[in-house]
Amino acid sequence: MKAAIYARVSTTNHGQDVSMQTRELREYCARRGFEIAGEYTDIGISGSKDSRPELNRLMADAKQRRFDAVCVWKLDRFGRSLRHLVNALADLESLGVSFISIKDNLDLSTPSGRLMFQIIGAMAEFERALIQERVRAGLRNARARGKKLGRPRLPVDAVKIGSLRSQGRSVREIAEELGYSRSLVHKTLANHESAHVAKSDD
């Protein structure tokens, strides 16, 4: 069985050394009889970073089926968030690649490991629901205080819109020049024409 090992430290200060993780991972693979197909180490990169070069390379190699399992020292070395962890583990599972976290005693190739994955997934969904509810509560509170939500409205220069239209400019050209949406230009022109007709009737 071929295995890839992944290790990460966010800083080389405070005695953090990626070699401690890789040494223990190599020893684990030797005990299990795994052939190490590749080592991937991100050094000096925070776990919250969206892009980690070596993790990205590992996931790309997983899609090429260059190994059968991914071994990490701990879960927090691999996933940048609970949601990212669940998505990454689901991707590996769909590729038929096992995942092992040696310090968490987690092996997704075993029944207990698959059960733990379901629990982690449920926790991620719970976290997502909590965030959504906090956002909704914040919006309700803002509306209750009379705060206007969304992007601030641009002042509409109806005279300028009418002038450009009279020059034969299209709605698209007017919108692009003034930075308005096409629907706003259409609405302003319609209101302008309605007001002009009403004035003529008077």
Side-chain angles (χ1 to χ4, degrees):
M1 187 172 184
K2 293 184 177 181
I5 64 176
Y6 176 78
R8 178 185 64 80
V9 290
S10 56
T11 176
T12 54
N13 297 328
H14 310 297
Q16 292 193 39
D17 185 356
V18 75
S19 65
M20 178 190 69
Q21 297 176 37
T22 55
R23 184 181 66 253
E24 293 191 20
L25 286 165
R26 291 188 198 113
E27 291 172 354
Y28 176 87
C29 288
R31 288 195 302 272
R32 294 286 301 270
F34 295 165
E35 175 189 346
I36 297 177
E39 296 187 5
Y40 305 77
T41 56
D42 280 313
I43 300 173
I45 297 179
S46 169
S48 62
K49 290 286 186 182
D50 286 340
S51 179
R52 286 186 260 161
E54 287 296 279
L55 179 58
N56 294 344
R57 187 168 71 89
L58 180 145
M59 296 304 291
D61 286 350
K63 292 176 182 176
Q64 299 295 322
R65 292 304 310 272
R66 294 183 177 175
F67 41 77
D68 307 298
V70 171
C71 299
V72 302
W73 192 63
K74 285 188 71 175
L75 285 173
D76 63 3
R77 300 296 88 192
F78 185 75
R80 64 173 179 263
S81 67
L82 188 58
R83 193 171 181 183
H84 169 260
L85 175 64
V86 170
N87 290 339
L89 295 185
D91 286 343
L92 291 175
E93 185 180 40
S94 69
L95 295 168
V97 177
S98 300
F99 179 87
I100 300 166
S101 174
I102 64 174
K103 289 298 183 181
D104 298 300
N105 293 316
L106 177 66
D107 183 346
L108 294 189
S109 66
T110 66
S112 60
R114 287 191 289 272
L115 174 61
M116 182 57 69
F117 175 61
Q118 296 300 321
I119 294 172
I120 293 172
M123 290 172 60
E125 184 59 32
F126 179 64
E127 180 186 58
R128 179 170 172 269
L130 285 179
I131 292 171
Q132 289 178 334
E133 180 53 36
R134 283 198 293 268
V135 170
R136 286 194 291 265
L139 292 173
R140 287 195 299 268
N141 185 47
R143 290 192 187 99
R145 290 187 285 110
K147 186 175 181 179
K148 291 184 177 180
L149 304 174
R151 291 183 298 177
R153 292 183 178 179
L154 292 172
V156 180
D157 191 340
V159 175
K160 183 67 173 177
I161 291 175
S163 174
L164 290 172
R165 188 62 167 172
S166 66
Q167 296 171 24
R169 305 286 288 277
S170 69
V171 170
R172 181 180 59 80
E173 290 172 337
I174 296 171
E176 289 177 354
E177 180 170 332
L178 301 181
Y180 299 148
S181 66
R182 295 186 192 181
S183 60
L184 178 59
V185 173
H186 272 299
K187 184 177 180 181
T188 303
L189 288 171
N191 290 340
H192 178 73
E193 290 172 2
S194 297
H196 182 71
V197 170
K199 188 174 181 181
S200 298
D201 291 342
D202 290 342

